[in-house]
Every structure is written in C-alpha cells, then in structure tokens.
Amino acid sequence: MPHILVLGGTTEASLLAQRLAEARLPATLSYAGRVARLRSQPVPVRVGGFGGVAGLTDHLRRERVTHLVDATHPFAATMSGNAIAACAATGVPLLALTRPAWQPEQGDDWRHMPDIPAAVAALAGPPRRVMLAIGRMHLDAFAAQPQHSYLLRLVDPPEVAPPLPDCHVIVDRGPFTVAGDTALMRAHGIDLIVSKNAGGSGAEAKLAAARALGLPVMMIGRPPLPDRAEVHSVDEVLRWLHGADLGV
Ligand code: 3Y8
Ligand code: NAP
C-alpha cells in the first residue's frame, strides 16, 4: 500500500496535494508549523518538525512512507538536506518538486546577492525606502542597517516589534497581484525591493511591479543543495509515482 509524504509550504505542494487526492493516492502533507493559519488541504496534514534527520528517518519507517516528495521552498535548505539524508538511510525514494529560479527580463534592474548577509551589507549607505519582502525569519539580520525606512510583509502579525526602528508592517499572505504590489510600492514611496529568488507564481508579482515602476531589486540567490532527483511540475511527480510500483 503506497503512502506518499509531501513536504509542503508552497503553492506547488498544495497543487500536488489536490492531484493526489483526485487520484485517491494515500498521502500526507507536512508543514513546519511556521504560521498561525494553514490553507485547508484535501489530504491529511501533519504540522511541526520531525526532529532532525533521525526524527524524519524514524517517521518514514513508523508511518511506512513509500515515497517522499520534497515540495518545500528553495530556501528551506535544512529540510531538504534532511530529506536527502533520511531517504538515503531508509531507501525511501525521494523526488524534489521545485520552481525554476526567476530570471531578469527586459527592463529589470536586479542586483544579484549570493545570500542574505550580502544583501544586508549591500544596504550600507544613505537612508532609502526599502520593501523587505522576505518574510519574518531573517529580519534580525537587517537590524545592521537601521537607517532605512522598511516596508515589511509578514504572514502573521509580529509577536514582538521588528528589530528595525523605522518600519511599517503589512500582514498579508500570497499569492499577490501586480496591481496590488504596484499600488503598495507607490503608496509607500518604495525605492528598492529586497526579494528571495523563490521562483513560482505566488511571490513574483512584486518583480513585475518593480519593473513597471522602474525600481531596482536586490535578488537573493538560493542556498546550495546536494544533488537529488528534481522536477518542476506536478505532472512529472505523478508520472514518477505511476512509474514506480504503487501497487494500486
Ligand atoms: C508555513 C502556509 C499555498 C502556499 C502559498 C509560494 C507562494 C504564498 C509568497 C512576499 C513574499 C515568503 C514567505 C511567501 C510566499 C506562497 C505560499 C509563499 C513569501 C505560507 C505557509 C507557510 C509559509 C512560511 C513562510 C515563511 C516565509 C515565507 C512569507 C501555507 C503562507 C517571504 C518567502 O512568518 C513566518 O514565520 C513565515 C515564514 C517561511 C519566509 C521567512 O523566512 O519568513 N513562507 N508561507 C509553511 C510551514 O509551516 O511549513 O502554505 O498555507 C506558504 C506560502 N508562502 O498553498 O498557497 O509558494 O512561495 N512565503 C519568499 O518566497 O520570499 C512572501 O511577501 O512578496
Ligand atoms: P528550513 O529552515 O529548511 O527548516 C528548518 C526546520 O523546520 C527543519 O529542519 C524541520 O524541522 C522543520 N521543517 C521545515 N519544513 C518542514 C515541513 N514541510 N514539514 C515538517 N517540518 C518542516 O525551512 P524554513 O525555511 O524554515 O521553511 C519552513 C516551511 O515554510 C517549509 O515548509 C517551507 O516550504 C515553507 N516556506 C519557506 C519559505 C522560505 O523562504 N524559507 C518560503 C515559503 C514557504 P526538524 O529538523 O525538527 O524536522
């Protein structure tokens, strides 16, 4: 009997969950438990860490997982590394469902940054009005550049005041729209956007808005990951699953 474990937290993971439910394939969608409200899903959901590689290895064995699909965000490097190690330890087949990195288009003004510390260092200089669209987990790093006026977009209201003396918080979850992001940047007089190269459609509206307004974007590159089998579409995941002996 197959049991597919999907590591989620992205638009693509939700789309995959929908297709697995339609195909009546036994699946569980897993979240880290980062935010207060999770999108409802058509398959059973589990929330919270596994407890590192050992915890995930035990989970795969205890839950008799037959296939693991890592559909986490490209910046969820720890989770993805743990999945590779746990699948190597247990022999459970692993497939990553990822989004191609965004590429700059005609009219874009991107400054490529290798990682978040490099983006923070590049913010040295006179005060600017910065849209920091990277979520909550890395805000502390930007306290090193307190001179800017920051527009923060978070999924949940912050429990503690962000470590930035001049910041305005918007509580909103994607997917976002170009019109909405353009209006937001205009209303706040934004002159620089900081973004992770998440890929996919849920977060890309801000890039089109920046292009329309002629604003520069600091684009933070993805953390390196060990090699693993990787596809970019839900259809390819389903072909992989049907290619394997699902016994259904
Ligand atoms: C908990 C719960 C779906 C999934 C939707 C996608 C699209 C909207 C855009 C901006 C960028 C950001 C952030 C973002 C987007 C989708 C997708 C995506 C970026 C949810 C979700 C969880 C998370 C975790 C959250 C992080 C944060 C990152 C906000 C769900 C809504 C900035 C990444 O407050 C926190 O602790 C938030 C933490 C990790 C990154 C960070 O470092 O703060 N995502 N986002 C998942 C879990 O618990 O496992 O899926 O319903 C999911 C989505 N967020 O089904 O529709 O697929 O990327 N999420 C980034 O890309 O830069 C917002 O504001 O422009
Ligand atoms: P991370 O740094 O790679 O993960 C840190 C720890 O969180 C992992 O070691 C694991 O804990 C737990 N974890 C992460 N994803 C999990 C999942 N899907 N199910 C169960 N446990 C999980 O990951 P992150 O950047 O914090 O991202 C957390 C979640 O938010 C992921 O599901 C990711 O897809 C989603 N997300 C992240 C971003 C982003 O920018 N990072 C953007 C959008 C969505 P244990 O070691 O205890 O198992």
Side-chain angles (χ1 to χ4, degrees):
M1 184 68 171
H3 177 196
I4 299 147
L5 176 63
V6 179
L7 302 178
T10 58
T11 304
E12 290 72 18
S14 298
L15 295 172
L16 174 59
Q18 187 62 44
R19 296 283 297 279
L20 292 172
E22 288 162 4
R24 301 197 187 297
L25 287 171
T28 303
L29 180 59
S30 176
Y31 285 106
R34 283 260 178 279
V35 300
R37 284 172 302 112
L38 292 170
R39 171 190 293 277
S40 63
Q41 296 290 350
V43 298
V45 165
R46 66 165 298 287
V47 181
F50 297 97
V53 175
L56 179 55
T57 301
D58 290 347
H59 179 90
L60 296 177
R61 290 185 171 128
R62 194 173 56 249
E63 301 298 322
R64 300 184 191 288
V65 171
T66 57
H67 299 78
L68 178 57
V69 180
D70 176 0
T72 58
H73 190 275
F75 281 74
T78 307
M79 184 73 259
S80 293
N82 291 0
I84 293 168
C87 287
T90 57
V92 171
L94 169 66
L95 183 66
L97 171 58
T98 60
R99 300 92 68 107
W102 290 316
Q103 300 299 332
E105 296 177 17
Q106 184 69 31
D108 283 343
D109 175 7
W110 287 12
R111 289 85 194 262
H112 291 275
M113 299 290 152
D115 52 29
I116 287 176
V120 173
L123 281 173
R128 305 190 68 170
R129 299 186 61 79
V130 181
M131 179 175 177
L132 205 45
I134 59 163
R136 174 181 61 90
M137 293 196 302
H138 304 283
L139 289 183
D140 292 348
F142 290 84
Q145 305 290 357
Q147 71 274 28
H148 303 302
S149 175
Y150 288 100
L151 174 64
L152 308 180
R153 178 149 66 186
L154 304 179
V155 178
D156 291 327
E159 286 149 8
V160 295
L164 302 165
D166 179 358
C167 69
H168 178 87
V169 176
I170 300 273
V171 177
D172 195 357
R173 67 165 53 199
F176 302 104
T177 64
V178 179
D181 279 3
T182 305
L184 184 67
M185 292 177 192
R186 275 211 180 98
H188 291 269
I190 298 299
D191 59 32
L192 172 66
I193 290 97
V194 179
S195 170
K196 293 175 183 170
N197 198 326
S201 56
E204 71 179 337
K206 59 183 173 286
L207 305 182
R211 188 180 308 127
L213 296 172
L215 299 181
V217 174
M218 239 183 226
M219 185 56 75
I220 301 167
R222 301 172 168 194
L225 277 176
D227 280 345
R228 71 239 165 114
E230 197 166 325
V231 295
H232 291 324
S233 75
V234 170
D235 283 342
E236 289 172 282
V237 176
L238 291 172
R239 278 201 289 278
W240 177 73
L241 289 170
H242 287 304
D245 171 17
L246 287 180
V248 289

